[in-house]
Amino acid sequence: MSARVPTSKLRVGVLASGRGTNLQAIIDAIEAGTLDARIAVVISNKQEAQALERARRHGLTGVFLDPKPFAHGSNSREAYDRAILDVLQKHEVELIALAGYMKIVTPVLIGAYPDRIMNIHPSLLPAFPGLDAQKKAVDWGVKIAGCTVHFVTEGVDEGPIIIQAAVPVLQGDTADTLSARILVQEHRIYPRAIQLYAEGRLRIEGRHVLLAGASDPATGSLINPSL
Ligand code: GAR
């Protein structure tokens, strides 16, 4: 994939199913001027999603697209994604950001937006893909957990990794306390990943996402328990 040519403000379509704190982080970054993009539309598969409420509060278009009418037949997920695609195209969306979107996207969307769909996942992928990643991390006993922004491919949580943040797992952590610690970092890295894309600084080569103009990496390490 070649990098985006940043000739106009990036138009982002956000897909969200729930409370929408990552959507909020993206909105906040745009309003603070650290993310040079526009949210063209927010789409949810859940009518009661707080994400839709957040969109409307900020004067953004929020669309509830009910999956039920599409639930029959063997291609129901594809049919639903075609309806999503219609809305995205109507709003001239260039990049799709999945933000707590709890449906698997089909090749219908991936084919229409190749290398132009991002997702945030609450683990250091490839560890703990799928649901309940933070609980899986606690149950496994890992000492370091975190979150990942990646491009979306057909394999669930398998696409090329753009940015990751690590946090320690503390003794006595529950899925809830760990989730809260990870979420703080999600809100930092997701707007950042979108900004890097908007600037045309991301290029995919195989599994690798190359960053143009990267500054020197932080050399400190996160060692847990500390030495
Ligand atoms: C976030 O923790 C996000 O990483 C996770 O759902 C939460 C949504 O929160 N996504 C997944 O688990 C995707 N597999 P939010 O609605 O407050 O942004």
Side-chain angles (χ1 to χ4, degrees):
M1 158 243 197
S2 50
R4 168 180 196 257
V5 181
T7 48
S8 57
K9 207 182 264 283
L10 177 72
R11 294 178 67 82
V12 181
V14 178
L15 270 52
S17 301
R19 67 191 165 170
T21 66
N22 276 288
L23 166 67
Q24 189 67 55
I26 295 166
I27 293 171
D28 291 348
I30 291 172
E31 291 184 354
T34 53
L35 173 53
D36 188 23
R38 168 172 303 145
I39 297 179
V41 64
V42 176
I43 307 175
S44 184
N45 60 321
K46 299 279 183 193
Q47 189 156 30
E48 67 285 2
Q50 213 186 320
L52 289 176
E53 195 45 49
R54 291 178 193 271
R56 289 173 194 140
R57 211 182 302 145
H58 289 265
L60 303 171
T61 306
V63 175
F64 162 57
L65 196 56
D66 191 354
K68 271 200 216 89
F70 304 92
H72 309 286
S74 55
N75 293 325
S76 58
R77 288 212 309 236
E78 286 77 4
Y80 183 70
D81 273 1
R82 264 190 288 280
I84 295 256
L85 191 54
D86 276 351
V87 179
L88 294 168
Q89 288 174 338
K90 195 172 114 214
H91 289 89
E92 296 177 16
V93 165
E94 194 181 337
L95 177 77
I96 303 173
L98 308 182
Y101 184 60
M102 294 309 187
K103 270 177 91 70
I104 291 175
V105 298
T106 70
V108 169
L109 271 193
I110 296 168
Y113 282 86
D115 300 329
R116 290 195 289 140
I117 309 177
M118 285 186 190
N119 180 44
I120 182 128
H121 183 76
S123 78
L124 291 175
L125 289 171
F128 313 125
L131 293 175
D132 300 323
Q134 304 97 325
K135 179 178 186 310
K136 287 175 188 159
V138 169
D139 289 350
W140 194 266
V142 298
K143 299 295 189 196
I144 294 176
C147 47
T148 304
V149 181
H150 64 94
F151 284 110
V152 172
T153 55
E154 282 183 35
V156 175
D157 298 328
E158 279 182 11
I161 291 170
I162 302 164
I163 183 166
Q164 294 186 301
V167 300
V169 182
L170 305 181
Q171 285 188 42
D173 258 343
T174 61
D176 283 348
T177 57
L178 179 60
S179 297
R181 193 172 309 117
I182 292 172
L183 195 62
V184 173
Q185 302 308 317
E186 293 187 35
H187 297 164
R188 299 177 68 199
I189 67 172
Y190 210 178
R192 177 70 180 155
I194 297 171
Q195 175 63 16
L196 293 175
Y197 182 88
E199 290 174 10
R201 292 173 61 190
L202 301 180
R203 191 160 55 80
I204 303 177
E205 269 187 29
R207 281 216 50 85
H208 297 252
V209 178
L210 306 183
L211 172 59
S215 50
D216 287 341
T219 49
S221 15
L222 173 60
I223 298 178
N224 180 43
S226 59
L227 302 179

